[in-house]
Amino acid sequence: MAQAGKGKLNFRCPACFMRDLDIDMFYDEDSREYYCLRCCYTGSEADVQQKNRMARFRYRAMAKRFQRFDTR
Amino acid sequence: MAEFADFYRAGHTYTQPECALWRDILYGSDKQYFWHADPYLRCCLDMNQGGAMIDLRPYVAKLYWPVGIGTPHVQDASYPFLIQANYRAGYFTHYAGEGTIRSCKLTHKGEEVDLCLTRTWAHFEKKGGTRVLTLDPVEIKFADLTVTLQTEFEFEEGSGAVKTTRCILESSDPAAKVELNEYITACYGTTEYPEDMTSVALGLKNGSEERGIRYAYRCREDEMAGGEASALVPPVETLVTLAAAGEHTAYYKEGYAFSPMFTLGAKSEIGQGEEMVTWLRLEKAN
């Protein structure tokens, strides 16, 4: 198999990012998967996108617009 | 533990290493690490990065490093590393500087590919007093050339050195030459924070001359035909040397504030059926 490279987008590892580690992944064209150099995460682009969506569970107020900063 | 100690001593010699070829059995990644620990060094090779060395600790220095309450190291009981790709970056960094790792870059007509980008699989065997790790061949694709390269690591018992052999098994152009740049980018420390590097001395030595510099974060480089490149690291009482067989150019690179490591390397050109052999050696220096 040929050497890996960067995919079309620079994806962070979703497993590492869940613990606030900012690790960019590389893309293995032969296996058609992104993989992390630090942890054992591997996944297709669709899986990476899905895990990134899941990781946003913390951001419950993501769609809320805050008008005031001195009252609730 | 006393019984285990008796059992262990009865069956093991002082220089006998402990090796472990680990594979991922939980996450489904096909990742493999090879750990090797002997009285001289401990290292970890990552097959997911072409066999790159991602951890290196100089046991040969036999550092006096008391830990615990009442010592200078109250909560950090780590033995210092020279390479730690997770704490001190590695192949991939967020910035232009380099992280700690031992790998090899292949260059052909200006195109460069690091073996850290090749995922492979390792096989272990013992040949007499030498432990041998043979990696499955990997394919390197340049714009107009494709080569198949195989790596073999040898750990000779009692040597304090790691021998690396890279061989080009096949080439789409048998007459083409590829430059192999075997390198180690290292520093010292126990955490993700840089240490003071100003006592480190980088040097080049061949049969006829010897020269070097004291580390001053100035990104200086030097190279020499033949010979070996070395780094004296006084805080961990270790001399790191990278030597190569055959015709080659030895070099060192000083770092700077945002990449406070040093790089030692050896470059050589090989073609189909040829190989490059290098040794990474650790010695006590005080």
Side-chain angles (χ1 to χ4, degrees), chain A residues 3-4 22 28 33 39-40, chain B residues 29 31 92 94 117 119 141:
Chain A
Q3 73 270 20
D22 199 355
D28 183 341
E33 66 181 13
C39 79
C40 291
Chain B
S29 70
K31 204 170 172 177
F92 170 72
H94 279 295
L117 291 174
R119 303 164 92 188
K141 277 188 181 163

Side-chain angles (χ1 to χ4, degrees), chain A residues 19-49:
Chain A
R19 38 191 311 240
D20 301 330
L21 295 169
D22 199 355
I23 308 292
D24 287 359
M25 295 192 289
F26 288 91
Y27 185 69
D28 183 341
E29 273 188 2
D30 295 321
S31 310
R32 283 203 286 269
E33 66 181 13
Y34 286 91
Y35 67 98
C36 178
L37 291 190
R38 189 180 189 283
C39 79
C40 291
Y41 174 80
T42 59
S44 62
E45 180 180 336
D47 189 64
V48 173
Q49 298 275 25

Side-chain angles (χ1 to χ4, degrees), chain B residues 90-105:
Chain B
Y91 172 66
F92 170 72
T93 64
H94 279 295
Y95 48 91
E98 296 176 335
T100 60
I101 199 142
R102 160 93 178 89
S103 182
C104 179
K105 296 182 201 281

Side-chain angles (χ1 to χ4, degrees), chain B residues 10 35 84 86 96-97 141 155 166 176 191 207 224 252 256 279-280:
Chain B
W35 284 98
Q84 223 306 320
N86 293 324
K141 277 188 181 163
F155 300 83
R166 315 257 192 206
T191 69
M224 184 183 278
Y252 66 69
Y256 69 124
W279 291 264
L280 175 66

Side-chain angles (χ1 to χ4, degrees), chain B residues 37-275:
Chain B
D38 65 25
Y40 309 96
L41 60 93
R42 186 190 80 168
C43 69
C44 179
L45 306 180
D46 181 1
M47 265 43 77
N48 214 36
Q49 296 189 68
M53 189 181 288
I54 59 169
D55 189 288
L56 178 64
R57 316 250 168 174
Y59 291 163
V60 68
K62 287 185 169 30
L63 295 174
Y64 178 63
W65 200 270
V67 298
I69 300 297
T71 76
H73 309 106
V74 178
Q75 49 77 32
D76 177 7
S78 309
Y79 190 92
F81 53 74
L82 295 170
I83 294 174
Q84 223 306 320
N86 293 324
Y87 279 157
R88 298 303 307 279
Y91 172 66
F92 170 72
T93 64
H94 279 295
Y95 48 91
E98 296 176 335
T100 60
I101 199 142
R102 160 93 178 89
S103 182
C104 179
K105 296 182 201 281
L106 277 68
T107 305
H108 178 68
K109 290 185 180 172
E111 241 184 301
E112 182 184 276
V113 175
D114 197 306
L115 289 183
C116 287
L117 291 174
T118 59
R119 303 164 92 188
T120 183
W121 194 252
H123 308 272
F124 174 83
E125 61 181 316
K126 192 163 167 288
K127 292 179 180 174
T130 301
R131 275 78 180 165
V132 182
L133 199 72
T134 306
L135 274 51
D136 285 346
V138 295
E139 193 177 79
I140 313 291
K141 277 188 181 163
F142 298 101
D144 65 349
L145 180 74
T146 298
V147 298
T148 302
L149 179 129
Q150 182 163 49
T151 301
E152 185 179 88
F153 298 101
E154 290 177 60
F155 300 83
E156 187 184 335
E157 193 170 321
S159 68
V162 181
K163 178 182 173 186
T164 305
T165 304
R166 315 257 192 206
C167 181
I168 294 182
L169 300 179
E170 285 173 26
S171 174
S172 60
D173 178 2
K177 294 285 189 185
V178 175
E179 182 192 81
L180 263 64
N181 176 2
E182 291 272 10
Y183 71 95
I184 168 173
T185 300
C187 61
Y188 74 93
T190 59
T191 69
E192 65 267 39
Y193 300 107
E195 303 280 354
D196 179 16
M197 297 287 281
T198 51
S199 64
V200 172
L202 305 177
L204 294 168
K205 182 172 77 171
N206 63 16
S208 56
E209 63 176 318
E210 188 173 347
R211 56 180 189 264
I213 59 171
R214 276 284 289 270
Y215 200 99
Y217 298 90
R218 286 165 55 192
C219 272
R220 292 169 289 176
E221 301 179 20
D222 194 4
E223 61 178 44
M224 184 183 278
E228 51 191 40
S230 66
L232 177 65
V233 190
V236 293
E237 298 175 26
T238 301
L239 179 68
V240 185
T241 306
L242 189 69
E247 202 175 314
H248 66 277
T249 301
Y251 71 89
Y252 66 69
K253 287 184 181 178
E254 186 186 27
Y256 69 124
F258 299 100
S259 176
M261 288 79 169
F262 59 83
T263 299
L264 307 176
K267 297 182 197 176
S268 182
E269 279 200 344
I270 61 172
Q272 180 174 291
E274 295 175 333
E275 62 182 30

